[in-house]
Amino acid sequence: MSDLATYLLSGLALAGSFALVGSGIVVVYRVTHVLNFAQGSFVVFGAFLSQTFRQLGLPPGLSELAAVVVVGLIGLVVGAVAIGKPGTHPMTSLLITLGMSLVAAAAIIAVWGQNPVSPAGIGGTVQLFGAEIETQRLVTLAVAVATLGAMSLLFTRTDIGRALTAAASNPRAARLVGIDTRAMGLLSFTIAGVLGGLAGVLIAPTTAVSVTSDLPFVLSALAAAVFGGLRSPWMTFVGALVLGVTGQLVAGYANGSYQTQIALIMMLAIMIARSRSFTAEEAK
């Protein structure tokens, strides 16, 4: 029973990081209609930068915050390259983000090498339902829920959020009322960078992150985002919960190397099941 509770709680914590990364994909897609395949690289940058800032002497908390801010700026750069030229087709932008993820991997290897990193996080464990779980994992889940709540408030209660929604719903009408849709697109990439960097600094203390971690992260996050129809951060969170818990149960009772394959199978099954309800934009 304690093993089952451990796997379930660990899955919930893992779902928090998937939800953050998946929500980054959703935000960019909602505003620009571009699937950002560089989202997994943001996670890796967050992990490596937080460790570097620790080594440079920044105190805990500030080093993670600095890493998130820098990754947000990296997201802005990726956005500028992907959608900076007016009239760029979303498919072209998608390929650019894929290329940028390869460039990011080369840069990470050049600067930090290929060894995984696992910076120190919040120590200690908590007893829940007869299972012992690391405090860092619970913090990851709590921060993910709080961040998604903040995003909901951003999109529904603020002018900048309404401008992002308007740019996503009808770019032409948004431009007519004075909204700079290109700036909104760049902002969405910056938010995606912040969410990816936040996922990286949160998960690295419990799960070592290497340069090759970007693909499993982006595939799992994309599966969760597809579960939410690439539209809803909260439905993405539900998809992440299913994916995270299932992955941990498979890792606990079978083999952890199957988790990525499960993400792919889950995404494929959902797309087949929802194929008749896809909108024209989602079908593309």
Side-chain angles (χ1 to χ4, degrees):
M1 181 61 186
S2 62
D3 287 342
L4 176 61
T6 300
Y7 300 146
L8 292 175
L9 292 172
S10 298
L12 291 176
L14 187 60
S17 59
F18 288 161
L20 289 173
V21 184
S23 295
I25 293 174
V26 169
V27 170
V28 170
Y29 183 81
R30 282 182 59 173
V31 179
T32 68
H33 295 179
V34 173
L35 279 176
N36 177 23
F37 277 93
Q39 190 69 29
S41 300
F42 298 159
V43 180
V44 179
F45 271 120
F48 277 85
L49 283 170
S50 64
Q51 170 147 306
T52 297
F53 287 134
R54 283 283 187 96
Q55 293 171 341
L56 292 175
L58 288 183
L62 189 57
S63 58
E64 285 78 9
L65 178 61
V68 171
V69 171
V70 172
V71 180
L73 294 176
I74 292 173
L76 175 61
V77 172
V78 172
V81 176
I83 65 169
K85 184 178 179 181
T88 303
H89 193 277
M91 183 59 71
T92 303
S93 297
L94 181 154
L95 294 175
I96 291 174
T97 64
L98 185 59
M100 292 293 287
S101 70
L102 298 176
V103 172
I108 290 168
I109 292 173
V111 175
W112 290 288
Q114 300 188 52
N115 294 327
V117 298
S118 185
I122 299 174
T125 59
V126 176
Q127 289 282 344
L128 283 175
F129 309 111
E132 190 174 88
I133 185 168
E134 295 165 274
T135 306
Q136 178 72 31
R137 293 182 184 273
L138 295 179
V139 170
T140 300
L141 179 61
V143 171
V145 173
T147 302
L148 292 180
M151 285 182 58
S152 294
L153 292 176
L154 170 69
F155 277 98
T156 58
R157 302 295 178 86
T158 67
D159 290 340
I160 193 70
R162 295 187 185 98
L164 283 166
T165 302
S169 302
N170 193 328
R172 184 179 180 184
R175 285 193 291 269
L176 288 176
V177 297
I179 296 174
D180 187 340
T181 55
R182 179 173 173 272
M184 294 300 103
L186 294 177
L187 178 59
S188 70
F189 270 93
T190 305
I191 293 173
V194 168
L195 293 173
L198 186 58
V201 302
L202 287 171
I203 199 170
T206 55
T207 305
V209 175
S210 71
V211 67
T212 60
S213 299
D214 61 335
L215 184 60
F217 267 112
V218 78
L219 289 177
S220 300
L222 185 58
V226 168
F227 188 92
L230 291 170
R231 293 287 175 185
S232 169
W234 284 113
M235 284 302 294
T236 299
F237 181 66
V238 174
L241 286 177
V242 175
L243 191 62
V245 171
T246 303
Q248 286 299 297
L249 289 175
V250 171
Y253 291 113
N255 191 321
S257 60
Y258 296 151
Q259 293 182 57
T260 301
Q261 286 81 351
I262 287 176
L264 289 171
I265 293 172
M266 178 181 172
M267 184 167 61
L268 181 62
I270 292 171
M271 292 181 72
I272 292 174
R274 295 190 64 239
S275 59
R276 292 185 178 180
S277 62
F278 275 173
T279 64
E281 289 296 328
E282 288 172 321
K284 290 177 182 178

